[in-house]
Amino acid sequence: MHPRLTSVALPIAGFVLLVAVGAVAPRLADVLNLALPFFGLILVGYICGRLWDIPESGLAWMNAFIVYVALPALFYNLIAATPIGELANWRFILITTSCTALAYAYGFGVGWFASGGQLEQATIQGVAGGYSNVGYMGPGLTLAALGPQSVVPTALIFVFDSTLFFTLVPILMSLSAGNKASAGETARLVAWRVLTHPFNIATGLAIASAATQIHPPVPVEKLLTYLQNAAAPCALFVMGVTVAQRPISRIYPEMPVLLLVKLILHPLMVWVAMSLLGDFGRVWTFTAVLMAALPPALNVFVMASQYNVYVERASSIIMAGTIISVVTVTGLLFLIAVGGVSYRLFGN
């Protein structure tokens, strides 16, 4: 068999097997019917990326469409229709962002030990341990699993988690021995990345719209709806292609520990914290847990490439995490949808 066909045969066989399991196991059918189309879009992208020798630069315009147009339209449409009071849940923001920061700290500690105290490598390894794929995977999964009520907690987690990493990584990198940037240059870089990120801009406009009840004209609303509907399919397809073009070269010693932090410890910390520190309701709690359970973000590779450190390993950990998350995220969805698990781990 041609090597390219061989590389896609196993994932296709696994997908077909899971479809068959759903057909004969009624208790699993609902979860697989939810999860398989979602991961199937990633699989389609992966197959295309393996079968066709198209340069990675060909993804540039599609990435631009997703990041600057489709996903901002999704966030704007759903947040603008939300009562303004729901957007100021600072206790929820503090808990989820603190758990993300703690997951980052664990990942940083693993990286510091594994790299022999190299700050630049530990910084990126911390990102791999704490930064979920909240942009490309988050909105599609939470909306499919928990419905429109999940969009506000999804957006809040995205905005504040992204702000955390856009702030933390440049600051830590500026402290490394090889970085010549001044404190002022670092501060300007942080402010620029936070204020100009299209998701943050869209969220700000949506909050203003929700507060003033001023909405776009009907033609613009319809255009935003078209763009919103394209967001998740395009993002997941591109993710699959990206994973296919960056195969795992080898299993590095720190990878299993970082993936344990990202896929297991991070969502468990969120679940425990939200159970102990209040009653946020089923949708908000499980949205936060699902977002934390996602594999490492593609931004891990972007940041590694930007600073030219840990690039090959960042690529490998994203692919490995995405593959493993098919099992871990589907298992979590089973607990939520079928297993009858309460959203609060402690008390009623």
Side-chain angles (χ1 to χ4, degrees), residues 72-341:
L74 170 66
F75 279 121
Y76 176 85
N77 270 359
L78 296 175
I79 296 173
T82 303
I84 189 65
E86 293 185 24
L87 299 172
N89 196 329
W90 291 106
R91 193 154 53 102
F92 175 85
I93 293 167
L94 181 61
I95 290 171
T96 54
T97 308
S98 296
C99 288
T100 297
L102 190 55
Y104 175 86
Y106 283 129
F108 182 92
V110 171
W112 184 267
F113 178 80
S115 65
Q118 296 185 37
L119 178 60
E120 291 182 336
Q121 285 198 35
T123 297
I124 300 300
Q125 287 166 302
V127 178
Y131 199 173
S132 299
N133 201 326
V134 291
Y136 278 21
M137 294 181 70
L141 180 61
T142 56
L143 277 170
L146 298 165
Q149 289 181 319
S150 67
V151 71
V152 175
T154 297
L156 291 176
I157 290 170
F158 174 84
V159 168
F160 285 92
D161 277 14
S162 297
T163 300
L164 172 68
F165 288 107
F166 292 159
T167 303
L168 194 58
V169 170
I171 289 174
L172 289 175
M173 286 299 187
S174 71
L175 298 176
S176 67
N179 194 292
K180 305 299 182 183
S182 66
E185 290 172 336
T186 301
R188 284 192 294 271
L189 175 64
V190 169
W192 177 256
R193 287 186 175 172
V194 170
L195 294 176
T196 62
H197 195 288
F199 294 179
N200 293 347
I201 293 173
T203 300
L205 292 174
I207 292 172
S209 183
T212 62
Q213 290 299 301
I214 298 175
H215 300 288
V218 173
V220 176
E221 286 189 336
K222 289 186 176 180
L223 173 61
L224 291 173
T225 300
Y226 294 152
L227 294 172
Q228 167 191 327
N229 293 338
C234 290
L236 296 172
F237 175 85
V238 167
M239 184 178 174
V241 174
T242 304
V243 166
Q245 295 188 337
R246 300 187 186 123
I248 300 175
S249 56
R250 54 174 288 199
I251 302 296
Y252 298 95
E254 74 278 7
M255 279 178 56
V257 184
L258 289 174
L259 289 176
L260 180 67
V261 172
K262 178 78 257 346
L263 299 175
I264 304 298
L265 183 60
H266 188 187
L268 186 59
M269 287 192 299
V270 171
W271 204 343
V272 169
M274 295 194 71
S275 297
L276 288 174
L277 300 176
D279 187 345
F280 294 90
R282 180 179 183 275
V283 172
W284 281 59
T285 300
F286 281 145
T287 296
V289 175
L290 274 173
M291 292 283 275
L294 295 174
L298 292 178
N299 272 337
V300 178
F301 178 80
V302 173
M303 291 176 176
S305 299
Q306 177 185 354
Y307 293 101
N308 194 29
V309 59
Y310 203 71
V311 178
E312 183 178 341
R313 297 190 184 196
S315 172
S316 296
I317 200 168
I318 291 169
M319 182 171 185
T322 302
I323 293 170
I324 296 171
S325 73
V326 176
V327 177
T328 57
V329 172
T330 302
L332 179 58
L333 288 172
F334 177 82
L335 290 177
I336 293 172
V338 180
V341 176

Side-chain angles (χ1 to χ4, degrees), residues 8-18 43:
V8 300
L10 183 59
I12 291 176
F15 186 84
V16 172
L17 177 61
L18 289 173
L43 175 61

